[in-house]
Amino acid sequence: MNINLAEMLKSLPTEIWCSETVSIQPIHDDDDLWYATVECRLYPEQEDYVNPAGFSIGRAWLNPNDSLPCIIRDSRGKRIGYIILRKWLTGGEEALNWSFYLDRDSQGMGYGRAAAKLAVKILKTAVPDMPIKLSTESDNIKAQRLYLSIGFVKTDEMDGDDYVFRSS
């Protein structure tokens, strides 16, 4: 399916991008870019689990039709994390995907679960017939639990040494 995911996402109504506790918004200015690449920090033991935002944003710049870098905000509008919504080719199948993380000061408050559920809603609204697949390191138990708890199933597929989960 040859789609321009970024344009499909940008055309969605504003209310699709919000839940009661979080919103996701495309990066639109230098302040958002600075937050995603410099200010949004993980705990040191988490840094090996995700690509740095600068890498993901650079990859999106090289392929802007398939990726949309975004900021996660809490209900007050405060930036609390970074997410990139993208198209992903895995196992010979096109799928939708995201990579995200929350600032370490915003973790443990339910924002991760809310952002993951909202990302599913956004992607399913934009491209309802394309599966969502996520991958995570084999030792990232928190991410695995999160994906299973919001309805993903672990597949037999691997992405290198990462487990792959698929929306049900």
Side-chain angles (χ1 to χ4, degrees), residues 39 58 80-81 117 151 161:
E39 291 178 1
I80 59 169
K117 287 180 171 182
D161 61 352

Side-chain angles (χ1 to χ4, degrees), residues 31 33-42 79 103-104:
D31 291 338
L33 184 61
W34 181 259
Y35 174 81
T37 58
V38 177
E39 291 178 1
C40 188
R41 308 288 304 274
L42 295 169
R79 294 177 191 96
D103 183 83
R104 59 186 172 205

Side-chain angles (χ1 to χ4, degrees), residues 112-126:
R113 176 176 312 284
K117 287 180 171 182
L118 183 55
V120 167
K121 175 182 156 187
I122 292 166
L123 291 171
K124 289 279 188 193
T125 302

Side-chain angles (χ1 to χ4, degrees), residues 142-154:
K142 281 180 125 176
Q144 293 173 42
R145 281 191 202 133
L146 172 63
Y147 299 159
L148 292 169
S149 76
I150 62 169
F152 283 76
V153 294
K154 186 177 170 200

Side-chain angles (χ1 to χ4, degrees), residues 1-61:
M1 179 185 297
N2 192 6
I3 63 168
N4 183 324
L5 180 62
E7 287 305 315
M8 292 178 86
L9 291 169
K10 290 176 187 176
S11 72
L12 294 175
T14 306
E15 61 270 11
I16 297 296
W17 295 83
C18 301
S19 74
E20 287 184 23
T21 54
V22 297
S23 65
I24 295 174
Q25 301 169 339
I27 289 177
H28 68 276
D29 62 24
D30 288 347
D31 291 338
D32 284 349
L33 184 61
W34 181 259
Y35 174 81
T37 58
V38 177
E39 291 178 1
C40 188
R41 308 288 304 274
L42 295 169
Y43 291 106
E45 62 272 14
Q46 297 171 319
E47 291 175 356
D48 289 338
Y49 291 150
V50 294
N51 288 324
F55 174 81
S56 295
I57 292 169
R59 192 163 51 183
W61 182 78

